[in-house]
Amino acid sequence: MTDEYVDIHKLAAEIEAEVRARRAAGEYPPGFERELDRLFDRFAPPEVSNDFDAALERAEDLVIVDPVIPVASNSPVLGVVKRVVSKLLGWYHVWLAQQISALSTAINTALRLLGGRVVELEHITGDVARARGVGARTPARRDDSAWNDIVVAALRGVSGRVAVLECGEGALLEALTGAGLDAYGVEPRAIVADVALARGLEVRIDDGAAHLHAVGAAALGGLVLRGLVERAPLGELLLLIDAASAKLAPGGRLVVCSLRREAWGDNETAAEADLVAGRPLHPDTWNAVLPEQGFVDVQVHAAGAGAYVVAALRADE
Amino acid sequence: MTAVHQFVPTLAPRDAVGRHYLAVQETLRGAGYRSEIYSYEAKEEYKRLARPFASFSGATGKEPTWLLYHSSVGSPVADFVAGRDEPLIVDYHNITPAAFFARWEPAIAGALMKGRRQLAELEVRADLGIADSAFNAQELTDLGYEHTSVVPILLDVAALDATPPDPATFARLSDPKASGGADWLFVGRLAPNKAQHDIVKAFAAYRRLYDADARLHLVGGSSSHQYETALTAFVDALDLGGAVEITGGVSAGGLTAHFETADVYVVASEHEGFCVPLLEAMHHRVPIVAYAATAVPETLGDAGLLLDAKDAYTIATAVHRVVTDTALRTQLIDAGIARLREFDLAKSRRKLLDAIEPVVGAPT
């Protein structure tokens, strides 16, 4: 029990650290949280965006509009009125229902044709979304040692929270917390995140871009982009930079860790490189893109032969 | 006389935004403006307080007339004000991102998307964007609104004392306390963005780790039948039916009874534009544990334990700390009372007039 004024921000950090430590020590029932997630997902409807056929089938179930006017009523008088109205207007309802059903059927048919053409395109070009999912789930290993020192140096002195997306098994994250930074990681692959969690690091199992979107505006002092910057398609990459600009506080630091194009697809990243639409940008491209989004002092550092680090400062408003 | 007329999608009792409309009208009239409320629909006893929006025919004579549109969802009222010639102010109460509802209630997701489109379209018409929070103001700025001003929801905290706890509810909630166990409370509509399912997860962890007799009360109507059904099935599957109460809508007295018997107020929302129940919890001296998302940190200030992580164990551990540490409880409750003063109705009324007067001019 406390008997003096408590700094609640420190207390919250202590609680989060305590949970991480207890988790690392195996004090919590193993798999309990994931079991809770799975159980709730059992009752939740499937995500709408992924299943075109199911959405189309649902639309087709609703195509036929019932022309029969409901006449049941708790009140005998109202029941009579409804039956009279039904007799008078029944023909009109049938006429309207037929037209609506015909329109819905035509739209659904067009959608099914369109769906068929998309499937055909996917067969020709490869199912990019599916392959990307597999690529993102493949637990690629990266040797962070080449860029750890550069990243720590780039973020030294930053105040506020530092997010590392994606943190992988946590080597870079560990280097940052070891240097006294208030850093946490985000990693979408549970199997990889578990390794980082077991090191006692603060890690959220979440999609990196989705997490960044949910963070409050100007809430971060630093942001490290790693892993996802190599495989994100160009459109997603630009959105990621927009989000980074919005979520970093003025004066905050953005650090991008990436393999060079020539090293992308070698060894441990082969599966990712083969299965995704994106590829790493040339280091100089960051120099061109980041100032457009409010970053200044963009610096590119070589991190061994196969990798580079870009550091930039979020300009004051 | 200058007129500032409000245009709202829905005027409903027991709704914080609905009470805000009425308080805004009272403030404007008190300052010397003429002000009526025009709505798409008005419910129950509020019907007599609003006129149908389509009945608005414009300024009376040469009276300077402004429209004040309240944005919280897609509405035909937005299209109506967009097509008018009178100058416009938008008061933004936040529109939940449609993605939260897409898989649960596609129709609601559609209405939310429409609301965001309408809000963006009104930017060219609006001379001022008012927002409940800096978080909401930032969303307006992102949409291109050049002039924004933060004015909190006009909430008469003193009015919360006007309704005593419903005796039957109070007794029903108090009786189990004799056999121990903490009472968790969350007030808000059952909705995916409010993440009541994450509260249930944390509650399950809490019962397992700290307090097998704890109870959870989820108070509020439903915004999604599908989400409500899934949540109920989830609670049953966890065998927590006897410990988790999903009340649906309650009377004002029932709400007071829930606040007065709660040991801790827990928020796991992913998206809130302001979060009025936080202020109600502060007023009823219930300590708060909340996940730091969107506008929650701004409304809460230092008056609650704010968590960056929302996993079940972290929330459970934080609640345990708040429930068992008397000095911490007292500190949080005192901080809540102090924080509430920042949202004092008189202060908020002044902020509203300070925002509006430079734009519409002093009342004539």
Side-chain angles (χ1 to χ4, degrees), chain A residues 2 5-6 8-9 11-12 16 19 22-23 28-29 32-33 36-37 39-40 43-48 161 204, chain B residues 102-104 197 201 208 210 230 233-234 238 302 304 306-309 311-313 317 321 325-328 331:
Chain A
T2 52
Y5 182 81
V6 179
I8 54 165
H9 303 287
L11 175 62
E16 288 171 12
V19 170
R22 292 183 67 182
R23 196 191 299 276
Y28 294 135
F32 178 62
E33 285 174 295
L36 288 173
D37 292 342
L39 193 56
F40 182 68
F43 303 113
E47 294 287 350
V48 286
R161 301 225 79 191
R204 325 267 169 92
Chain B
R103 70 168 164 162
W104 299 96
H197 61 285
K201 289 175 189 174
R208 195 159 173 165
Y210 299 111
F234 182 46
L238 287 168
D302 284 342
L306 206 50
L307 303 170
D308 283 329
D311 61 274
Y313 291 132
T317 306
R321 189 68 184 265
D325 187 332
T326 312
L328 175 62
Q331 179 184 320

Side-chain angles (χ1 to χ4, degrees), chain A residues 109-230:
Chain A
T109 306
L111 272 177
R112 202 163 266 295
L113 287 171
L114 189 62
R117 293 179 74 162
V118 171
V119 169
E120 205 173 307
L121 265 177
E122 285 176 343
H123 284 165
I124 295 166
T125 61
D127 184 342
V128 175
R130 182 176 156 203
R132 196 168 128 217
V134 176
R137 286 194 298 275
T138 308
R141 298 175 65 87
R142 282 178 176 75
D143 178 11
D144 290 350
S145 55
W147 54 44
N148 279 5
D149 291 346
I150 302 169
V151 177
V152 168
L155 290 170
R156 184 156 284 131
V158 156
S159 62
R161 301 225 79 191
V162 176
V164 180
L165 325 175
E166 299 154 335
C167 69
E169 294 182 349
L172 174 60
L173 184 57
E174 199 167 51
L176 292 173
T177 54
L181 289 155
D182 182 12
Y184 70 97
V186 179
E187 172 57 53
R189 293 163 288 204
I191 192 171
V192 180
D194 282 346
V195 178
L197 284 165
R199 290 169 120 152
L201 298 166
E202 180 185 342
V203 177
R204 325 267 169 92
I205 302 176
D206 198 357
D207 176 77
H211 174 81
L212 193 58
H213 180 72
V215 167
L220 295 174
L223 174 64
V224 180
L225 300 177
R226 172 195 175 281
L228 76 171
V229 285
E230 289 158 4

Side-chain angles (χ1 to χ4, degrees), chain B residues 1 36 45 61 65 69 75 77 85 112 126 146 170 176 277 331 347 362:
Chain B
M1 185 182 263
E36 301 296 339
E45 68 263 31
T65 298
Y69 174 67
S75 166
V77 182
D85 292 329
L112 294 169
E146 202 172 332
F170 187 80
Q331 179 184 320
K347 270 190 193 172

